[in-house]
């Protein structure tokens, strides 16, 4: 009988690491970036935010020794000797990259700009300045996704033929005040993770069919619900369905990733999204066809979660690239541009 009890997640250990300097000290830095780097023993040596109070709080809470007054000062003191962790809204990304030194190593918070035009400019800037940059599509590196990829790579599921991502939760959008000024919200700042994950599992689709909508009780935001179909031909189904306006308690909230193959299936509960920000425990279930016994669903323990553990994986890719100049980060801007093409197609509901 099949057993996958040896499929576990461990915090990656890198033989060489570099100091990190952070540009931006908002909520995602406080709740995910810095806790992740602390877990991984990555050294953060400096921080800058236009809101000095945020920088002061982050520096105090995470014992960061230096606060910079502006990006010019930050760059002049560090050059290309550190890794820049740029955690700013998509609208500010181009301006920041223009100020970074040539030959720098950079992790850019998603999205890769606010639209495809900006994403192409970011890619062009990185090429011109010989910047090695990755996008923080960290769901790829969530502990349960790394476990799932091990199972898929081992051939346990057979041919992948169905990927479904379902989110029915209540999201407190007020925690991210910049979103209330954004012309694109749900797909660009949330479902982009799922689009990127499907791409990471199945490759680039031939098209996207989508509709994103607002909600009467959340009408200050452009959109909070989405239906997305990614086209992989006649034998593979890839669907994303999200609703962030389910304000009727935890009982019927749900958030899962389901991956089915010809030999088995995986279902992952993304507990972080339910009862946010407190969350509930993640769960990893799998079932494998076995001729010698009736198949049944099994549960594997999950060591860690999307926040903060997945953020270790995103930064580790840039660390690896700085250690080995021939290494291309899995989350490189060269790859991320295709996720942005899919996002653009989702908004225009057309063929890529």
């Amino acid at each position: 009988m099949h057993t996958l009890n040896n499929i576990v997640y461990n915090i990656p250990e890198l033989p060489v690491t570099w100091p990190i300097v952070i540009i931006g000290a908002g909520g995602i830095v406080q709740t995910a970036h810095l806790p992740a780097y602390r877990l991984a023993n990555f050294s953060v040596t400096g921080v800058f935010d236009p809101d000095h109070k945020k920088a002061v709080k982050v520096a105090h809470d995470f014992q960061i020794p230096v606060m910079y007054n502006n990006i010019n000062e930050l760059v002049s003191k560090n050059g290309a000797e550190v890794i820049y962790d740029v955690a700013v809204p998509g609208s500010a990304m181009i301006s920041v990259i223009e100020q970074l030194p040539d030959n720098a190593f950079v992790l850019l918070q998603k999205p890769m700009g606010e639209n495809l035009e900006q994403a192409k400019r970011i890619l062009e800037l990185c090429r011109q300045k010989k910047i090695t940059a990755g996008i923080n599509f960290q769901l790829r590196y969530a502990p349960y996704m790394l476990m799932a990829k091990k199972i898929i790579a081992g051939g346990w599921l057979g041919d992948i033929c169905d990927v479904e991502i379902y989110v029915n939760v209540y999201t407190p959008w007020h925690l991210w005040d910049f979103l209330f000024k954004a012309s694109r919200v749900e797909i660009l700042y949330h479902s982009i993770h799922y689009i990127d994950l499907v791409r990471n599992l199945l490759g680039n689709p031939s098209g996207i069919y989508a509709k994103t909508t607002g909600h009467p009780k959340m009408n200050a935001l452009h959109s909070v619900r989405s239906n997305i179909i990614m086209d992989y031909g006649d034998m593979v189904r890839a669907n994303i369905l999200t609703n962030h306006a389910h304000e009727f308690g935890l009982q019927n909230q749900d958030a899962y990733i389901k991956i089915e193959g010809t030999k088995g299936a995986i279902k992952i509960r993304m507990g972080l999204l339910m009862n946010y920000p407190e969350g509930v425990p993640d769960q990893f279930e799998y079932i494998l066809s076995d001729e010698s016994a009736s198949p049944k669903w099994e549960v594997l323990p999950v060591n860690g979660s999307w926040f903060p553990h997945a953020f270790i994986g995103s930064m580790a890719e840039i660390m690896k690239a700085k250690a080995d100049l021939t290494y291309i980060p899995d989350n490189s801007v060269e790859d991320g541009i295709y996720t942005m093409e899919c996002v653009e197609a989702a908004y225009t509901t057309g063929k890529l």
Side-chain angles (χ1 to χ4, degrees), residues 112 116 119-120 123 332-342:
M112 189 176 169
L116 183 58
K120 288 179 177 178
L123 179 61
S332 71
V333 288
E334 303 284 345
D335 180 77
I337 192 69
Y338 294 111
T339 292
M340 294 303 295
E341 285 186 357
C342 289

Side-chain angles (χ1 to χ4, degrees), residues 169-215:
V169 300
Y170 181 77
T171 300
W173 295 102
H174 64 272
L175 296 176
W176 306 278
D177 53 1
F178 71 91
L179 292 177
F180 289 85
K181 299 178 181 179
S183 60
R184 292 176 170 182
V185 177
E186 204 289 319
I187 296 177
L188 184 65
Y189 282 96
H190 187 83
S191 283
I192 188 171
H193 284 298
Y194 310 134
I195 290 172
D196 182 73
L197 180 64
V198 174
R199 275 195 59 247
N200 191 238
L201 294 172
L202 300 178
N204 292 327
S206 60
I208 301 282
Y209 308 90
K211 173 66 175 178
T212 190
T213 57
H215 190 277

